[in-house]
Amino acid sequence: MSKTENGFNWWSLIVGIIYIILGILAFNNPLGSASFVIYLFAFAVAFKGITQIIIRNRLKEYTGMMNNWLIVIGIIDIIIGVFLFFNVTAGVIALPIVFAIWFIIDSVIALVSARAIRNYSKRNFWLIVILSIISIIIGIMLIFNPIASILTIAYLVGIYFTLNGLSYVIEAF
């Protein structure tokens, strides 16, 4: 991520704000159509995939760490986003399981990537670790109860985007 001279990262702040807005929209419209949630999710997943690839390149540039998992997860996110955008019905059926697996994989990647932050900010490192562990627990809960996740998908999407948005905003500072 590119930081200005004072250490502020505008890109992380912008991505964080977008994710928080997406989370708020999901919370405000839980009874909305399933297709809206699928389109919202498809857009956000594809956007997140692009940002993961950018983050990987910036991480390599500034820390020298080559985290190839960020490229893998970025490409997977883009593919899932495009698939869901063009297959809304399949998305409604598959979303609970896909979302749970994506939740877990993305959170594990965040845990692995957090070690690069550890040397620069212990506070941010521990916050990212805690948020990632919470996300892994939620992902596991979703896998074991897909019917409940279908009924509460808007809230789950809202929680996910809000947590990730907070992580990005924290990373900006």
Side-chain angles (χ1 to χ4, degrees), residues 29-30 32-42 95 153-154 157:
N29 192 11
S33 70
S35 61
F36 171 75
V37 173
I38 297 298
Y39 284 124
L40 176 70
F41 187 71
L95 188 61
I153 198 71
V157 170

Side-chain angles (χ1 to χ4, degrees), residues 3 62-64 115-124:
K3 291 195 176 212
Y62 290 109
T63 66
R115 67 181 175 180
I117 297 169
R118 180 178 44 206
N119 296 333
Y120 301 104
S121 173
K122 295 277 187 198
R123 182 185 60 154
N124 289 348

Side-chain angles (χ1 to χ4, degrees), residues 8 27 43-44 66 81-82 86 89 102 109 139 145 152 159 169 171:
F8 189 77
F27 282 124
F43 171 76
M66 288 185 23
V82 170
F86 290 109
T89 304
W102 177 57
I109 297 297
N145 198 353
T152 60
I159 290 169
V169 169
E171 186 179 315

Side-chain angles (χ1 to χ4, degrees), residues 6-168:
N6 63 0
F8 189 77
N9 186 331
W10 283 101
W11 180 251
S12 288
L13 181 66
I14 292 168
V15 170
I17 289 170
I18 290 170
Y19 273 34
I20 290 170
I21 290 170
L22 289 173
I24 290 169
L25 288 174
F27 282 124
N28 285 336
N29 192 11
L31 300 176
S33 70
S35 61
F36 171 75
V37 173
I38 297 298
Y39 284 124
L40 176 70
F41 187 71
F43 171 76
V45 170
F47 184 75
K48 185 171 188 337
I50 293 167
T51 60
Q52 289 288 29
I53 292 170
I54 292 169
I55 288 170
R56 186 265 183 194
N57 291 336
R58 300 292 184 188
L59 187 65
K60 179 182 172 192
E61 182 180 329
Y62 290 109
T63 66
M65 290 183 60
M66 288 185 23
N67 191 340
N68 292 328
W69 283 107
L70 288 176
I71 287 181
V72 171
I73 198 71
I75 291 170
I76 290 170
D77 285 349
I78 293 168
I79 291 169
I80 290 171
V82 170
F83 173 77
L84 291 175
F85 189 78
F86 290 109
N87 297 298
V88 176
T89 304
V92 170
I93 294 168
L95 188 61
I97 299 299
V98 170
F99 186 69
I101 292 169
W102 177 57
F103 215 85
I104 292 168
I105 291 171
D106 197 52
S107 299
V108 169
I109 297 297
L111 276 174
V112 171
S113 299
R115 67 181 175 180
I117 297 169
R118 180 178 44 206
N119 296 333
Y120 301 104
S121 173
K122 295 277 187 198
R123 182 185 60 154
N124 289 348
F125 167 76
W126 284 111
L127 189 57
I128 290 171
V129 167
I130 290 168
L131 291 175
S132 296
I133 290 171
I134 290 170
S135 295
I136 290 170
I137 292 168
I138 291 170
I140 291 169
M141 290 170 44
L142 292 175
I143 284 179
F144 290 111
N145 198 353
I147 301 299
S149 62
I150 288 171
L151 299 174
T152 60
I153 198 71
Y155 291 115
L156 297 173
V157 170
I159 290 169
Y160 178 77
F161 287 123
T162 302
L163 289 176
N164 276 296
L166 289 172
S167 292
Y168 277 105

